[in-house]
Amino acid sequence: DQQVKQNSPSLSVQEGRISILNCDYTNSMFDYFLWYKKYPAEGPTFLISISSIKDKNEDGRFTVFLNKSAKHLSLHIVPSQPGDSAVYFCAASALGNQFYFGTGTSLTVIP
Amino acid sequence: DAGVIQSPRHEVTEMGQEVTLRCKPISGHDYLFWYRQTMMRGLELLIYFNNNVPIDDSGMPEDRFSAKMPNASFSTLKIQPSEPRDSAVYFCASTHRGRLRGNTIYFGEGSWLTVV
């Protein structure tokens, strides 16, 4: 059973606009969330994280928002750049244990 | 510092053959994870080790799959016998205990398995 879900398999955005990638989870014990970025033929690389004690974390063009009551998090990329085109995975963990990943969203930023 | 190293990068094998995937975690990391990437399930955790001991193997799909970690610098994932539905990208990842709660895990580049 998928505990972390990314319901949009793909997303296309114009360069310079905002990209919003969404993630939902079912386990209320999850207290730490991460986003990973994956280019073709490479392993996923860490992008940004957020702890459940926060509702927002920002790192340059990337911002992650957490809505605990809705069990929802989102990644905003502003402004989007062609180099951001990749597959984005969200992940969650509970009490420092294993990470559960979603199915990924393929982002294409159109120049 | 070298990252997580996986081999082979690509493997094509015939159904019924044994497949062994290898992983060298980052030095000093005491957690090692094996993931499988598929379209349907994304990055699916198969098994993870702490200090070379398997902690959770509930994600291993069948008895055909087995994993070992004989020492802190080496792990294998074996499929015997392999089937076409095992075709996927297999990732190894590692992290240190202190970072497991705080930050991130580090992935290798993956082993692309095709079973024909």
Side-chain angles (χ1 to χ4, degrees), chain A residues 36 43-44 99 101, chain B residues 3-6 22-26 29-36 43 45 47-49 69 75 90-96 100 104-110:
Chain A
Y36 277 77
F99 290 88
F101 282 80
Chain B
V4 176
I5 300 172
Q6 292 187 244
R22 298 172 179 81
C23 176
K24 176 179 168 54
I26 293 172
H29 283 188
D30 53 357
Y31 280 84
L32 183 139
F33 306 81
W34 280 101
Y35 284 89
R36 177 171 68 176
L43 281 169
L45 179 66
I47 185 171
Y48 78 97
F49 296 82
M69 192 166 185
S75 176
Y90 292 80
F91 288 101
C92 178
S94 71
T95 194
H96 181 267
L100 184 65
T104 181
I105 58 175
Y106 299 87
F107 284 84
E109 294 188 315

Side-chain angles (χ1 to χ4, degrees), chain A:
Chain A
D1 189 26
Q2 201 78 11
Q3 297 192 53
V4 178
K5 300 178 183 179
Q6 294 175 257
N7 293 318
S8 298
S10 62
L11 175 68
S12 291
V13 172
Q14 285 291 137
E15 181 179 4
R17 306 294 292 268
I18 183 171
S19 296
I20 300 176
L21 295 91
N22 294 303
C23 180
D24 297 292
Y25 60 95
T26 58
N27 189 341
S28 58
M29 295 299 292
F30 286 150
D31 62 354
Y32 197 74
F33 305 88
L34 308 92
W35 283 94
Y36 277 77
K37 179 179 181 179
K38 184 186 177 303
Y39 291 118
E42 294 184 10
T45 55
F46 171 72
L47 186 59
I48 192 170
S49 64
I50 188 168
S51 164
S52 61
I53 62 174
K54 294 184 176 181
D55 55 17
K56 176 182 175 182
N57 188 26
E58 193 171 352
D59 183 3
R61 296 184 298 113
F62 302 90
T63 303
V64 56
F65 294 92
L66 175 62
N67 183 333
K68 291 185 289 293
S69 61
K71 295 192 180 65
H72 177 84
L73 66 156
S74 61
L75 174 68
H76 293 210
I77 307 173
V78 183
S80 301
Q81 299 174 354
D84 296 330
S85 297
V87 177
Y88 290 79
F89 290 96
C90 68
S93 72
L95 303 175
N97 290 322
Q98 60 173 285
F99 290 88
Y100 295 88
F101 282 80
T103 51
T105 296
S106 178
L107 173 65
T108 302
V109 180
I110 303 165

Side-chain angles (χ1 to χ4, degrees), chain B residues 58-75:
Chain B
S58 60
M60 297 286 260
E62 299 172 34
D63 291 344
R64 298 183 296 107
F65 286 70
S66 63
K68 294 182 180 179
M69 192 166 185
N71 57 63
S73 59
F74 183 66
S75 176

